[in-house]
Amino acid sequence: MARTTSSSTGGPSAPRNRTPQPLPRRRRTFGDFVKAFLAFVALAALVFGVPGALAIAVGWPLPGGMPSLDWLQQEITVGTFVNVLTVVVWLAWAQFTACVLVEVKAALSGVGMPGRIPGAGGSQLLARQLVAALLLVGATAASFAPGLSQFGQSLEGNQKPASAASAQQTPGGLFGDQAGGAANAVAEQAEQAADRAGSSAKDGDTKYYRIQPPEGRHHDSMWEIAERHLGDGRRYKEIYQLNKDREQPDGSRLSEASLIRPGWIMEMPADAHGGELVEMPDEAPKVSQDVKEQISDYAKSGDHQQGGGAQEQGGSGSGSGSGDRDTAHITIPEQRPSESGKGKQEAPVAGSGSESEGFSFGLPEALIGAPLLAAGLLGALGRRRRHALWQSAMGAVGGRRGMEPPTPTGGAADVQDALLVGADPEGVRLLDLSLRGLAASLAEESRALPTVYAAWLSNGDLHLQLAQPAGRPPAPWQLGQDQTFWMLARTDAERYEDVDTAAPYPGLVSLGTLDDSRLLLNLEAVPGVVSLSGREADRAAVFASVAAELATNGWSDRMTITLVGFGQDLTPLAPNRLRHLDDIEALIETMEAETRQRRGALGAAGHDSVLTGRTGPAQHTRWAPHLVLLAAEPEGDDAVKLAELAADASRLGIGYLVGTESGDLPGAAWEMEITPEGKLLAPLLGLELEAQALPEAQQRAVVELFVEADPGEDGTSGPGSGRTATTPPFLVDVTEQGRPAVYARLVGTYEIIGLETPDGERSPLMHEALALLLLHREGVHPRVLSSALWPRGVTEDVRDALIDRLREWLGTEPDGTPRLKADRSGRLTLAKSVVSDLDVLRSLYHEATQGRGANSRAVRGRMLTDALVLVRGPLLSDRPQGRYGWLTHEIIDAQLPLLVADIGLALSEFHLEKGRAEKAIEALNAALNSAPGDERLWNELLRATHAVGDPARLQQVAADLVARSGARGVPPRTEALLDELLPTWRSGLTAVS
């Protein structure tokens, strides 16, 4: 990849000066000399003055010869205490002097990291600052570690913006001496600002850094290098881009920022500074000849090495690096150009309904920007509402009660609109098909599932990041930027079909976005605990988002999610998946038992991990993940026990996400932080994401939606709803005086009466917009309308233009009021003069059973008959393929058959009251055409046919019922009714059929 950098002599395309040159020296001020003199005095006093003062004032504190046993029995005097303290001071002096010698050696050599004196800590930091201040006025001071001279100065405008890169990589290793690093970073940034004010020619200089060998548990990392020498750890990406895929002295190449080796050479940006850099290898003091030659050879490898190295598959970089990992790393995949070759995105990552406007339009942006979470919640909410409808219908006697679910208001209405706008059900479907298809292909090849740390959704493509190389993936999957990435293009994913295999990676959950890519972390694959630090409210929002998506996602089968320390009870979202525990003690007791059980089960089955079990014959019944979300920080022994449990958890399919105040948690493999600005930071993973979160107010609103959708104890929807009859949200005048101005037929083929058909290609779009408005008489938010009509996104001006055309098409009332207007909340509503046959159908049934027909038999019969005549087929039966996708979010497909069944049952009851069995059968058959699976209709048809008194006809109805039931068999209640009405139905079915 070519790199352009501005220089003092050219524009952006001017070439970099890659010849090692000396750094221009900063002019020393009088203050520098004063500080250097004071540093000299301090060093002289501490190194030479302390031992001199001790020798004169106290003398040698230790005895001159071997003490006798009598010495131990002598009385302890003040002199004894003085001698003991003198020994302590001598030891402290010796340690400080060793620190000074080490720092002086490192400063004079110009290469390498200073040695670390055991237990020195602050003493070594003080020695480093004094030495740097002293050498600040020396001949080579420009390249040495900075001193105290710059503390307290302004650092604003000090950082150079990170260069744009097509891929963000991650630094590895652990942070070392944070106190010393922070002090160095502050001082170095201040000196850097002063140096930049000098000469613009410095921008073209080239400096090099040699990766230092590990010392104890401290490993050099690009983040620390950038923090020390560039003033900002996040600028490690610049170092990575300068050195990516260039051959190192040991023959390997840098392919990931997290995988660097001691002895490697890093070219540094022009503004790098600090005592560990080498600017002139040929003249650098105390640098071996080998190092000089290596740096010189490395300087000759330039931009010709920066081409497509990252796209090489099976290269030495990826292969050699994978074996050096001591922890799990995450890397963002390189962007794949779109098919047009212009890099245009196929769809916005932020959500299927995202728009270009930069303001909220009154809806919760957290859910709009979380398409997978929104799709899961919306799908689960729809299933809950359908279940409530059917459960209520099956419990009703003589008709349906509570046909309409409660209409959300206030915050719940806004959250529901945000779900409709943000949801990307197609993205969820493709993700699920892709993962299951991969598992099926690997099973056919008798290959195990690879361990996946993370998945990235980027420009419509799916990238899986593996824990280690696993060979070539099965087609149509391809290798990504290296051996640890498997990639599937969206066009290939769309060709997948449903396969009968278990979900391979159900623990994937969205954490946030980086540019145009969305990260899903595989919680059950993390080798240890994932810790999350930050403010309590911010952590709680991230935890709630993770819990809600895991509980409702569409790419998993079975799962257990244990929540501890959650303020909001999220159980209503998925009672079969979510469970709350009271405290950490209960969690540890539970997880110790489950860990033992899973280890034993894996051993008995002969599997080394749950991944091999998921591709075996018991894939659908075993090895479901158990994910623990602990919002409260464990302490003391509890934290240690949790770390011990998590050490082997990834093999067992158990994952731990734990909150922490301090950010220091035992056993934490990955450490993340949520900032008040909504950034999710993981410095050691090299991630800085826009976090996906679910704030407390939206948690309450989401839970409210699910609670209201739950069926009550009596079979009706909502808590405490009782068996009271409900009124439809919109009633029309069904008399002759209530003739509408615009009438749309939606039940069956789509027809509009009272309007001219719009001309041109916009006609289908306007018809679809009107249908959406007719199905939501409570109003439709403009963003909901635009996301329904343009699932891949649309600009605000296009949406507003459609609304204007729609308003003009619908016309105005006689008083001049437009038939399409906006209410106080901004939602679009239709005038009462614009109605649909569905509105009339609901109104007729309500009027027949609860209005005038309740007290007049003649009115009831006429209205029920008129209502059944309106049913001409399924809703919008002629809708074009590829449009009206928003209907998948609706429950009208469940409501309409139930409403038709209720009308048929009521009309059948009306006729049977007068002994008109044939009329009742006719009404029931008409209703069965639209609701063939309604058990109530079949039961009433059996009763009506039995009333006719023709056993052969009753036997034929029974045979049709059994044939429709298929492999599921006849429902128990219907079977009991057949035994009562036709005891010989089992033996006679074969003959009849």
Side-chain angles (χ1 to χ4, degrees):
M1 174 168 49
R3 184 176 69 255
T4 59
T5 307
S6 61
S7 68
S8 61
T9 60
S13 60
R16 288 282 305 275
N17 177 13
R18 295 189 171 275
T19 304
Q21 296 181 3
L23 287 175
R25 300 181 181 178
R26 181 170 65 90
R27 174 178 291 181
R28 304 307 173 196
T29 65
F30 177 74
D32 291 335
F33 286 96
V34 171
K35 293 180 176 65
F37 175 75
L38 294 176
F40 172 78
V41 172
L43 283 173
L46 292 173
V47 175
F48 301 105
V50 169
L54 290 174
I56 295 173
V58 181
W60 186 248
L62 298 178
M66 179 66 66
S68 64
L69 294 177
D70 295 337
W71 178 80
L72 297 176
Q73 299 175 358
Q74 292 179 1
E75 181 180 358
I76 298 177
T77 64
V78 175
T80 305
F81 281 107
V82 171
N83 289 336
V84 171
L85 292 176
T86 304
V87 171
V88 173
V89 174
W90 274 108
L91 293 176
W93 170 83
Q95 184 189 58
F96 178 77
T97 303
C99 293
V100 171
L101 295 175
V102 167
E103 294 297 328
V104 170
K105 176 181 179 298
L108 292 176
S109 67
V111 177
M113 298 177 61
R116 299 179 65 185
I117 303 302
S123 297
Q124 188 163 5
L125 176 60
L126 176 61
R128 181 177 306 165
Q129 293 166 351
L130 291 174
V131 170
L134 177 62
L135 297 178
L136 196 63
V137 296
T140 59
S143 66
F144 290 154
L148 299 170
S149 60
Q150 304 298 329
F151 276 168
Q153 298 186 15
S154 172
L155 303 180
E156 295 181 2
N158 188 31
Q159 295 181 4
K160 178 180 177 181
S163 60
S166 62
Q168 179 182 354
Q169 305 291 337
T170 61
L174 302 172
F175 283 156
D177 189 346
Q178 297 181 354
N184 284 344
V186 172
E188 289 166 7
Q189 288 181 8
E191 185 171 1
Q192 173 189 352
D195 289 345
R196 285 183 181 176
S199 172
S200 61
K202 181 177 178 177
D203 292 339
D205 296 341
T206 304
K207 314 175 190 69
Y208 299 93
Y209 175 84
R210 189 173 177 84
I211 304 300
Q212 299 301 306
E215 183 174 346
R217 297 187 61 185
H218 177 270
H219 294 254
D220 223 349
S221 70
M222 277 199 185
W223 181 279
E224 281 193 305
I225 296 170
E227 194 170 57
R228 289 197 306 270
H229 300 295
L230 299 177
D232 186 352
R234 290 172 293 185
R235 292 185 62 189
Y236 74 88
K237 292 177 284 186
E238 298 177 48
I239 306 176
Y240 173 79
Q241 290 298 324
L242 285 172
N243 298 275
K244 179 181 176 184
D245 295 308
R246 294 172 63 180
E247 186 173 353
Q248 294 290 339
D250 62 358
S252 56
R253 300 173 186 269
L254 174 66
S255 62
E256 290 188 37
S258 59
L259 303 178
I260 57 177
R261 296 181 175 182
W264 280 9
I265 297 167
M266 296 288 113
E267 180 182 344
M268 302 293 289
D271 61 329
H273 51 276
E276 298 166 0
L277 300 178
V278 175
E279 295 84 17
M280 299 179 60
D282 292 335
E283 301 178 10
K286 299 186 179 180
V287 176
S288 67
Q289 186 63 31
D290 291 342
V291 173
K292 294 178 182 179
E293 294 177 357
Q294 290 173 5
I295 295 177
S296 298
D297 292 342
Y298 191 75
K300 297 175 184 177
S301 62
D303 286 338
H304 67 279
Q305 296 286 349
Q306 306 296 321
Q311 299 297 333
E312 297 176 2
Q313 298 170 356
S316 60
S318 60
S320 62
S322 61
D324 291 341
R325 301 188 181 195
D326 55 0
T327 185
H329 297 284
I330 295 180
T331 307
I332 185 172
E334 294 186 346
Q335 302 292 318
R336 189 179 68 92
S338 65
E339 294 180 0
S340 64
K342 298 180 181 180
K344 182 179 179 181
Q345 295 182 24
E346 295 182 6
V349 173
S352 59
S354 62
E355 302 180 33
S356 62
E357 64 264 26
F359 51 91
S360 67
F361 218 137
L363 297 182
E365 292 293 333
L367 286 171
I368 292 177
L372 305 184
L373 169 61
L377 288 172
L378 200 59
L381 183 61
R383 291 190 296 272
R384 187 71 54 82
R385 287 172 171 170
R386 290 182 179 89
H387 175 71
L389 285 172
W390 281 103
Q391 190 166 337
S392 179
M394 293 303 104
V397 178
R400 171 87 166 98
R401 297 293 184 268
M403 170 61 68
E404 299 296 330
T407 300
T409 58
D414 290 340
V415 162
Q416 179 171 276
D417 286 342
L419 293 176
L420 290 168
V421 172
D424 183 14
E426 180 65 10
V428 171
R429 187 184 72 86
L430 292 179
L431 176 60
D432 183 47
L433 288 177
S434 302
L435 296 176
R436 294 181 193 268
L438 174 63
S441 299
L442 290 172
E444 290 178 0
E445 299 178 6
S446 299
R447 296 171 61 186
L449 287 168
T451 300
V452 170
Y453 281 148
W456 290 90
L457 292 174
S458 180
N459 290 342
D461 299 336
L462 173 61
H463 303 255
L464 296 182
Q465 184 166 357
L466 314 184
Q468 57 188 5
R472 297 198 63 86
W477 289 78
Q478 308 171 20
L479 282 175
Q481 64 195 50
D482 59 36
Q483 294 280 355
T484 60
F485 273 95
W486 286 4
M487 190 273 290
L488 181 68
R490 182 186 179 96
T491 53
D492 293 327
E494 290 172 344
R495 291 194 286 267
Y496 265 121
E497 298 179 354
D498 291 327
V499 292
D500 183 23
T501 189
Y505 304 112
L508 288 169
V509 64
S510 303
L511 289 184
T513 57
L514 176 64
D515 298 329
D516 297 324
S517 299
R518 180 171 301 278
L519 170 65
L520 288 84
L521 179 67
N522 190 6
L523 281 180
E524 67 168 337
V526 178
V529 172
V530 179
S531 69
L532 177 65
S533 61
R535 298 189 311 183
E536 183 177 0
D538 299 326
R539 296 201 319 266
V542 174
F543 271 100
S545 171
V546 170
E549 185 170 300
L550 288 172
T552 60
N553 72 52
W555 55 88
S556 64
D557 298 322
R558 298 186 305 111
M559 183 186 302
T560 300
I561 307 165
T562 298
L563 309 179
V564 183
F566 277 63
Q568 178 71 43
D569 184 7
L570 301 178
T571 305
L573 304 185
N576 295 330
R577 284 192 179 186
L578 290 170
R579 67 175 180 181
H580 282 256
L581 293 181
D582 295 334
D583 50 37
I584 298 176
E585 289 75 13
L587 172 66
I588 291 177
E589 182 180 355
T590 300
M591 298 313 299
E592 283 179 341
E594 179 156 351
T595 299
R596 288 193 300 268
Q597 187 273 332
R598 289 199 173 214
R599 284 174 179 163
L602 279 176
H607 298 306
D608 57 352
S609 76
V610 296
L611 291 179
T612 55
R614 284 178 188 160
T615 56
Q619 54 178 319
H620 291 289
T621 58
R622 304 173 68 179
W623 322 123
H626 185 165
L627 303 176
V628 176
L629 307 183
L630 176 56
E633 180 176 8
E635 298 179 355
D637 293 340
D638 291 338
V640 174
K641 290 179 181 178
L642 199 64
E644 293 173 351
L645 290 172
D648 193 32
S650 60
R651 185 177 68 90
L652 307 176
I654 303 175
Y656 294 87
L657 177 62
V658 182
T660 173
E661 288 282 352
S662 62
D664 185 13
L665 196 66
W670 291 341
E671 298 177 347
M672 299 183 296
E673 176 189 0
I674 177 67
T675 69
E677 295 76 26
K679 297 285 187 180
L680 190 67
L681 308 179
L684 297 183
L685 300 177
L687 296 177
E688 183 176 346
L689 307 174
E690 292 291 338
Q692 178 173 299
L694 189 61
E696 184 179 0
Q698 295 172 33
Q699 293 175 43
R700 291 196 300 268
V702 168
V703 171
E704 179 183 341
L705 288 174
F706 277 80
V707 170
E708 290 294 328
D710 274 328
E713 295 180 359
D714 51 14
T716 55
S717 296
S721 54
R723 291 302 303 272
T724 58
T726 58
T727 302
F730 178 71
L731 288 174
V732 300
D733 187 354
V734 293
T735 65
E736 285 296 327
Q737 292 75 22
R739 186 177 297 274
V742 178
Y743 181 65
R745 292 179 175 176
L746 304 179
V747 184
T749 57
Y750 192 0
E751 300 175 15
I752 298 178
I753 301 171
L755 293 176
E756 295 291 335
T757 302
D759 296 330
E761 298 178 352
R762 297 191 180 98
S763 178
L765 198 63
M766 296 177 69
H767 277 73
E768 185 176 358
L770 179 57
L772 178 62
L773 291 167
L774 286 167
L775 292 177
H776 290 276
R777 302 305 305 224
E778 73 278 7
V780 177
H781 198 286
R783 294 188 75 173
V784 174
L785 178 68
S786 61
S787 66
L789 301 180
W790 294 280
R792 299 178 71 84
V794 69
T795 56
E796 184 182 356
D797 57 336
V798 173
R799 179 201 63 206
D800 292 343
L802 172 74
I803 294 175
D804 291 341
R805 284 191 294 269
L806 191 61
R807 184 178 290 112
E808 181 181 358
W809 180 45
L810 291 173
T812 60
E813 298 285 70
D815 61 358
T817 305
R819 294 190 177 115
L820 176 65
K821 55 186 178 181
D823 62 12
R824 291 182 178 179
S825 65
R827 289 176 171 83
L828 301 171
T829 60
L830 293 171
K832 291 184 178 181
S833 61
V834 182
V835 302
S836 69
D837 54 355
L838 187 59
D839 297 326
V840 176
L841 192 65
R842 289 167 169 162
S843 300
L844 284 170
Y845 178 66
H846 175 77
E847 192 70 19
T849 56
Q850 302 176 42
R852 289 177 295 143
N855 301 318
S856 173
R857 175 179 170 80
V859 172
R860 182 168 71 254
R862 185 178 72 251
M863 288 188 171
L864 290 174
T865 302
D866 291 346
L868 203 56
V869 170
L870 288 176
V871 181
R872 300 175 297 121
L875 185 76
L876 298 168
S877 58
D878 61 341
R879 60 180 180 265
Q881 186 176 5
R883 300 213 63 89
Y884 296 85
W886 47 270
L887 280 173
T888 58
H889 303 319
E890 307 285 342
I891 63 169
I892 185 63
D893 59 338
Q895 286 178 312
L896 182 58
L898 288 174
L899 176 60
V900 173
D902 287 346
I903 295 172
L905 291 169
L907 189 56
S908 171
E909 181 183 6
F910 172 81
H911 289 302
L912 287 175
E913 287 176 353
K914 292 297 184 179
R916 295 193 292 265
E918 291 294 344
K919 287 288 186 179
I921 293 173
E922 181 181 346
L924 292 168
N925 282 325
L928 280 169
N929 289 332
S930 295
D934 197 303
E935 182 185 358
R936 299 170 301 158
L937 289 175
W938 283 104
N939 291 347
E940 290 304 310
L941 182 60
L942 289 171
R943 292 189 180 97
T945 306
H946 180 265
V948 173
D950 186 348
R953 190 173 177 182
L954 181 60
Q955 190 79 21
Q956 182 61 55
V957 173
D960 292 343
L961 174 58
V962 172
R964 285 179 178 269
S965 300
R968 294 177 302 173
V970 178
R973 289 189 297 186
T974 304
E975 187 176 2
L977 180 62
L978 280 172
D979 290 336
E980 174 66 25
L981 301 179
L982 188 63
T984 61
W985 68 279
R986 290 182 174 85
S987 59
L989 287 183
T990 304
V992 172
S993 59

